[in-house]
Amino acid sequence: MYNETAQQRYALLHKLEKRRGTKIITLVGISPFSELDDRAAEKIIANIKKAGSSDIEIVINTDGGSIKAGWNITRAILCRNGTTNIIVVNKAKSTGTLISLAADKIIACQEAEFGPFDPKIPIEREGRTFYCPAVELLSSNEEWERRQAENAIKEVS
C-alpha cells in the first residue's frame, strides 16, 4: 500500500513539475505534529542544490522544528541563483515561517497558517511530553528547564 501511494505521489509531482516548469521539493509532514529535523533538512538542501539554477517550488506543511534545520534550509534558498517559490498547503509555523520568508514568492491557500519563530522545549509531565515555549520556561523552578530555554533563545538570537 505504502509503495503504491508513494508511486502515485511521485507521478503526480512529476506531472505538476512538467506543467509548472519547475522542480518541486516537498517539506510535508504526515503526523499532526510534523516537525522538521536535521535529517529531513539535509535531504531538502540536497534537492535544492541538485536543482542548480533551475526554478524550484517548495511545498510546505509543517509545525516547525529544529532551529538549525530551518536556518540551513533558509541559507540554501538565499544562496541559490534560481527563483524559489514556497507553496503553503496548510501550515508553515515557526521554522516553516522562517523558510517561507526566504522565498521569492509565497503561494498560500486561504486557510494557510503561519506562526511565530519561537523555540519550544520538550518537557516531561506526568509521563507525557509537552512542547513548552522557551520564553515561558525562563521563570521555571527547574534549573534544567531554565538552562534549556536560555540556550534555545540564544540560538534564535
Side-chain angles (χ1 to χ4, degrees):
M1 178 70 179
Y2 173 77
N3 287 337
E4 184 179 323
T5 303
Q7 287 175 345
Q8 290 172 346
R9 182 174 55 226
Y10 288 122
L12 181 61
L13 285 173
H14 184 68
K15 187 176 177 181
L16 189 58
E17 284 177 336
K18 283 187 147 218
R19 183 179 292 170
R20 294 187 58 84
T22 62
K23 171 70 179 153
I24 296 177
I25 300 168
T26 58
L27 193 166
V28 178
I30 296 170
S31 74
F33 303 103
S34 53
E35 293 198 354
L36 176 65
D37 62 14
D38 294 337
R39 185 172 166 208
E42 289 173 8
K43 291 179 182 179
I44 293 163
I45 291 166
N47 282 320
I48 289 170
K49 289 179 179 178
K50 187 176 174 183
S53 61
S54 300
D55 294 345
I56 62 172
E57 295 180 312
I58 302 175
V59 179
I60 291 184
N61 181 33
T62 184
D63 286 313
S66 163
I67 295 166
K68 179 182 169 194
W71 278 117
N72 289 340
I73 293 170
T74 299
R75 279 199 308 267
I77 292 169
L78 292 173
C79 290
R80 60 184 317 275
N81 291 326
T83 299
T84 302
N85 295 330
I86 298 289
I87 301 171
V88 181
V89 294
N90 186 22
K91 56 192 169 193
K93 295 189 175 182
S94 194
T95 299
T97 298
L98 174 69
I99 295 166
S100 297
L101 293 173
D104 296 295
K105 184 177 185 180
I106 299 172
I107 303 164
C109 69
Q110 191 171 7
E111 298 82 21
E113 296 179 36
F114 295 86
F117 188 54
D118 58 340
K120 293 181 178 59
I121 310 295
I123 301 296
E124 289 285 328
R125 296 277 194 265
E126 300 173 10
R128 295 183 59 199
T129 302
F130 297 91
Y131 288 87
C132 188
V135 177
E136 292 179 17
L137 292 176
L138 289 174
S139 59
S140 172
N141 292 330
E142 298 291 328
E143 182 180 340
W144 179 87
E145 291 177 0
R146 283 194 315 275
R147 213 172 324 120
Q148 291 296 315
E150 289 168 359
N151 289 340
I153 291 169
K154 181 179 178 183
E155 189 174 342
V156 170
S157 299

